[in-house]
Amino acid sequence: MELAKRGYKVTGVDISSGMLLEAKKMASEANVNVEWIHCDAVKYSPTKSFDAVICLCEGAFGLVGRDEEPVEHDLANKNISDALEPTGHFVLTTLNAYSKIRKLTQENVDSGRFNPITMVEHYMDEWDLPEGRKQVEVKERRYLPFELKQMFSQVGLKVENIWGGTAGNWKRQNISLDEIEIMVVATKG
């Protein structure tokens, strides 16, 4: 909404119809025009190119579908690169694997909660949803900074910076092992 308020032409993509409904409501209240697309971002193939792609949510990029292979999920980077103008920018926040690994135990591996090969944690969590508290199955992929840099490079994105932080507390600083998130700033080309 903030980008649209500042005069940028904005397209929002989300797999959740409920989240899109909330976003549309917020856009209406803010009196801004945003193009909303209901789609899995991993499968999104835009018909136009963008100056920037922004994915700011610690879980969004790392969320993996129930039957989705993590490597296939990571192919979203190719779609993002393809969607960018030749000098376009990509800003991403995602979960910091260092933080999670420091808290996991061998019991988490043995029980199937965490797969150290795919870096996916699979668990049930309780969420406050509009319809009330609900048990939700969560599958989240964790990323190491060097891995993100390599993944981006493979699809033609040059990583300019990788910082550590947490929503509401971002600074241009090195990653702390215990921070929840990583921010990657990259350019195409």
Side-chain angles (χ1 to χ4, degrees):
M1 300 312 146
E2 190 59 37
L3 292 171
K5 286 180 190 176
R6 293 174 185 231
Y8 292 95
K9 189 174 179 183
V10 178
T11 300
V13 178
D14 203 302
I15 194 170
S16 168
S17 57
M19 292 301 284
L20 284 172
L21 189 62
E22 291 296 315
K24 288 176 184 177
K25 186 167 63 171
M26 289 175 65
S28 177
E29 290 169 2
N31 199 30
V32 295
N33 186 28
V34 176
E35 175 187 22
W36 299 108
I37 298 173
H38 183 218
C39 181
D40 182 343
V42 173
K43 297 175 180 145
Y44 177 59
S45 290
T47 57
K48 59 187 172 188
S49 57
F50 299 91
D51 295 320
V53 173
I54 302 170
C55 181
L56 300 179
C57 175
E58 81 277 348
F61 184 76
L63 285 175
V64 180
R66 178 178 291 144
D67 298 319
E68 188 177 23
E69 286 296 320
V71 173
E72 289 176 23
H73 174 79
D74 292 341
L75 295 176
N77 290 322
K78 175 78 171 110
N79 293 349
I80 290 166
S81 181
D82 291 347
L84 285 171
E85 290 286 338
T87 58
H89 299 279
F90 179 33
V91 179
L92 166 78
T93 61
T94 192
L95 295 167
N96 176 7
Y98 293 126
S99 172
K100 185 47 95 169
I101 289 169
R102 291 165 56 90
K103 295 173 184 153
L104 292 168
T105 65
Q106 187 61 42
E107 184 178 300
N108 296 125
V109 175
D110 295 343
S111 71
R113 179 181 176 117
F114 181 72
N115 183 330
I117 296 169
T118 62
M119 298 295 286
V120 172
E121 184 179 15
H122 190 187
Y123 60 97
M124 296 299 291
D125 200 10
E126 192 167 306
W127 291 2
D128 285 320
L129 299 172
E131 61 271 15
R133 293 186 72 73
K134 183 176 179 183
Q135 286 286 318
V136 177
E137 180 181 15
V138 179
K139 239 178 119 173
E140 292 177 311
R141 169 108 156 74
R142 313 299 177 157
Y143 295 92
L144 296 164
F146 74 88
E147 175 184 32
L148 289 165
K149 191 170 183 175
Q150 182 181 31
M151 286 169 52
F152 281 34
S153 175
Q154 290 172 342
V155 296
L157 297 170
K158 182 179 183 233
V159 172
E160 302 291 336
N161 292 293
I162 298 180
W163 294 309
T166 302
N169 190 27
W170 285 102
K171 298 178 185 94
R172 294 178 181 187
Q173 65 188 22
N174 290 331
I175 297 167
S176 162
L177 295 180
D178 292 319
E179 287 175 313
I180 295 169
E181 297 178 71
I182 296 169
M183 179 182 282
V184 182
V185 179
T187 54
K188 186 169 180 175

